[in-house]
Amino acid sequence: MMFKGFNDFILMGGHGLYVWSAYGFALLVIGYTLIRLAMDRRKVIELNKKRKSEELDS
Amino acid sequence: MWSLFHKLGSPRPFYEISDRLLPILGCLTVIFLSVGTIWALGFAPPDYQQGESVRIMYVHVPSAIVAQSSYMIMAIAGAVFLIWRIKIADIALQCAAPIGASLTLLALATGAIWGKPTWGAWWVWDARLTSTLILFFLFIGVIVLRSAKEGSEAVGRATATLAVVGLVNLPVIKFSVDWWFTLHQSSSFSLTEKPSMPVEMWLPLVVMVAGFYLFFFYVWIFSVRTEILKREYRSQWVRFIHDV
């Protein structure tokens, strides 16, 4: 570990705001991507179900 | 080998093979990204000039590298679609674009965050930054154009052409730091040369780059599978997948 304590780790030698916002943004991008994947898949499954039932009706 | 390529070119075998591949890929992604992040934040050494802000590198460099690779992959898919008219290449192109756009945005954002304490400015209009911004707009252009008409082959061909033409931007990004005077440092990291940083720094960086590549492939394959379900819903095999 490169830091003496938790406080040191958060402060990042005065660059804390920059370092943590960069990693926060990365987390945001990854989180957004994963949510988009799950929602897209659910939407397509719903759509296919609808298509199926429409075919049965006609 | 050739028959494997052939198989992956058609939707059903691709769906079935990737079904087994995806969980492994997901696990590897989680392992590489968490090990890399802990290593980068807690155990990599500070830079003797930049101090702790150098830790931004472990997000910035991988996202920039993989963003450019995803453009390359997208353009290759576009070329394959233009030459052989393989449907899955069109899907592959369509699914690579949003990931590439997100990663380019991440590279730009972390670059700005790193630039502020290091150069004293969030943004400068220099060659590396500007050409990366163009990369972002190319991804956006591909996304918008492809969404003009879903599943249409003509739109697919137009999008593929845009993706292939946009390839000229990649060498511009790569060599921008050599061709023009820029604030951005030149590459200290390549496949062929010994890195110009100590091993305690480049080893976690390699782990992060691998993690970002794994993430790209996980997301890419996942979206291709979703798009296959959407476009191939008339096929018997899609109907027999019970929850679809």
Side-chain angles (χ1 to χ4, degrees), chain B residues 24-219:
Chain B
I24 305 169
L25 212 52
C27 288
L28 284 175
T29 308
V30 171
I31 292 169
F32 270 78
L33 283 184
S34 26
V35 168
T37 306
I38 292 166
W39 199 343
L41 279 172
F43 298 92
D47 184 76
Y48 77 104
Q49 280 178 322
Q50 302 178 23
E52 307 292 350
S53 68
V54 75
R55 297 186 198 284
I56 297 169
M57 172 179 76
Y58 301 102
V59 181
H60 177 70
V61 171
S63 57
I65 290 177
V66 180
Q68 288 165 57
S69 296
S70 38
Y71 195 91
M72 188 56 128
I73 290 167
M74 186 179 82
I76 292 171
V80 168
F81 182 64
L82 286 174
I83 298 167
W84 289 291
R85 305 206 172 172
I86 302 170
K87 266 191 293 181
I88 206 165
D90 178 42
I91 298 178
L93 177 150
Q94 178 185 341
C95 293
I99 326 167
S102 313
L103 289 173
T104 311
L105 190 66
L106 181 59
L108 288 168
T110 52
I113 293 167
W114 197 7
K116 186 64 186 165
T118 314
W119 302 338
W122 299 103
W123 181 264
V124 282
W125 287 102
D126 90 343
R128 175 55 77 78
L129 283 71
T130 309
S131 53
T132 305
L133 188 63
I134 291 172
L135 181 73
F136 178 68
F137 289 137
L138 278 169
F139 277 124
I140 298 295
V142 165
I143 294 170
V144 172
L145 188 56
R146 179 59 270 196
S147 66
K149 194 162 177 239
E150 269 180 43
S152 144
E153 197 177 324
V155 171
R157 273 206 299 277
T159 315
T161 310
L162 171 66
V164 172
V165 171
L167 264 183
V168 293
N169 189 44
L170 280 192
V172 176
I173 298 177
K174 176 149 177 45
F175 296 111
S176 56
V177 284
D178 307 322
W179 289 346
W180 290 284
F181 287 107
T182 102
L183 263 182
H184 197 286
Q185 67 161 97
S186 53
S187 178
S188 44
F189 201 66
S190 86
L191 281 177
T192 46
E193 284 161 49
K194 217 170 151 281
S196 59
M197 54 180 122
V199 63
E200 303 86 56
M201 277 180 152
W202 68 254
L203 215 54
L205 186 57
V206 168
V207 174
M208 284 301 258
V209 171
F212 270 72
Y213 268 114
L214 287 164
F215 176 73
F216 169 81
F217 283 111
Y218 179 84
V219 176

Side-chain angles (χ1 to χ4, degrees), chain A:
Chain A
M1 192 77 187
M2 281 291 159
F3 299 96
K4 284 197 192 79
F6 187 68
N7 232 10
D8 246 23
F9 182 57
I10 295 299
L11 286 174
M12 285 279 164
H15 286 134
L17 201 62
Y18 299 114
V19 173
W20 291 113
S21 58
Y23 280 81
F25 201 89
L27 205 64
L28 218 66
V29 167
I30 291 173
Y32 164 77
T33 305
L34 294 180
I35 291 169
R36 179 174 63 83
L37 283 187
M39 277 174 43
D40 280 355
R41 191 177 161 86
R42 199 185 302 161
K43 248 188 263 168
V44 167
I45 290 171
E46 287 298 311
L47 177 73
N48 282 1
K49 273 189 186 141
K50 218 174 91 187
R51 285 158 155 178
K52 237 185 234 174
S53 61
E54 271 168 14
E55 275 168 30
L56 288 176
D57 290 344
S58 59

